[in-house]
Amino acid sequence: MADSPIRVAVLISGSGTNLQALIDAQQRGELPVTIAVVVSNRPGVLGLNRAQNAGIPTQVIDHREFNSRTAFDKAMMIAIDQYQPDLLVLAGFMRILTPEFVGHYTGRMMNIHPSLLPNYPGLHTHRRALEAGDAYHGVTVHFVTEQLDGGPPIVQARVPVLPDDTEEALAERVLEQEHVIYPLAVRWFAEGRLHLEGDRSKLDGELLPPQGHLIDATG
Ligand code: NHR
Ligand code: GAR
């Protein structure tokens, strides 16, 4: 008998292709989790349809209905905790979270950020990599801490920047790798192999390198 699968809450703001990658991996039997709820801060987004099509409960907590980040985060915590998640997965979630929220889920919340952290925390990462003339770009899964996009990396995938790249083409090349590394990181956590220890990530009892486990997709 396998252990009972861990319960995951996925937070989204938009199209939810990373959510779909997790749903697909779960349905293929490659991800021992129950996706207990999908929470969106934006009503009407495609990610909510993806959840509904997979029979996953959804909650919309519209940040525009709250007077402060603290009030919004409090409402999210109340909604999320009804589902008793073991892990929170930020998948294209676009609201900065308060220290109170982060503290409540320390060591059990991860994010996927479309850059090779510590490069380009924050927004518009593909544009910034192109403008800098970088040869490589990529994506990082990391544990969430109070420091925006500054928590310990878990896994990073590197992709080439091509000569005539546009922001859209580069984003698409990165997104393809996102759909590989996010299910992998969630799987490690679900298998009890991945932990946050202080300010580092540990896999199978070993500290991971500062940039996490590296996957090279540069050919
Ligand atoms: N919260 C904390 N405390 N720490 C992190 O590491 C977080 C976080 C919340 C979200 C995702 C992050 C990303 O991967 C994330 C990591 C939103 C913004 C932002 O500026 C920046 C980084 C990330 C997500 N959001 C604007 C805000 O005022 C709103 C932008 C919008 O709605 O389009 O919150 O990139
Ligand atoms: C992904 O590229 C993700 O890394 C990025 O938004 C996209 C969401 O796609 N996340 C952020 O920029 C967080 N600020 P998805 O909704 O299709 O998964």
Side-chain angles (χ1 to χ4, degrees), residues 1-179:
M1 232 350 233
D3 297 335
S4 65
I6 67 158
R7 297 172 62 76
V8 175
V10 181
L11 275 58
I12 64 168
S13 301
S15 64
T17 66
N18 279 290
L19 166 66
Q20 190 69 56
L22 295 168
I23 292 170
D24 292 348
Q26 193 273 334
Q27 290 180 348
R28 283 195 303 263
E30 294 169 6
L31 194 56
V33 304
T34 298
I35 304 179
V37 64
V38 169
V39 181
S40 174
N41 68 303
R42 289 195 182 275
V45 294
L46 180 56
L48 288 166
N49 297 73
R50 296 179 189 276
Q52 278 149 11
N53 290 339
I56 300 165
T58 59
Q59 295 271 328
V60 175
I61 315 283
D62 187 339
H63 65 280
R64 295 168 298 186
E65 291 172 5
F66 297 85
N67 290 324
S68 66
R69 289 188 189 262
T70 303
F72 167 67
D73 281 11
K74 181 82 194 154
M76 289 231 296
M77 280 192 254
I78 288 167
I80 290 166
D81 286 350
Q82 289 173 342
Y83 296 89
Q84 302 188 1
D86 301 296
L87 175 68
L88 263 59
V89 169
L90 309 189
F93 183 71
M94 295 306 292
R95 299 301 298 174
I96 296 173
L97 297 162
T98 58
E100 292 76 24
F101 186 97
V102 172
H104 187 61
Y105 301 106
T106 305
R108 48 192 186 108
M109 174 160 53
M110 51 176 84
N111 176 47
I112 190 155
H113 179 76
S115 79
L116 298 174
L117 289 172
N119 296 341
Y120 314 126
L123 304 177
H124 312 301
T125 56
H126 309 302
R127 190 187 313 165
R128 288 153 73 196
L130 283 175
E131 283 171 359
D134 293 349
Y136 301 104
H137 185 45
V139 55
T140 307
V141 177
H142 64 93
F143 280 112
V144 174
T145 65
E146 283 183 31
Q147 198 193 343
L148 186 67
D149 296 322
I154 297 163
V155 53
Q156 195 165 75
R158 205 166 75 135
V159 306
V161 178
L162 300 181
D164 293 313
D165 252 344
T166 60
E167 206 175 321
E168 293 70 30
L170 181 55
E172 193 175 312
R173 194 172 314 116
V174 170
L175 197 58
E176 201 175 299
Q177 293 305 310
E178 298 190 28
H179 301 159

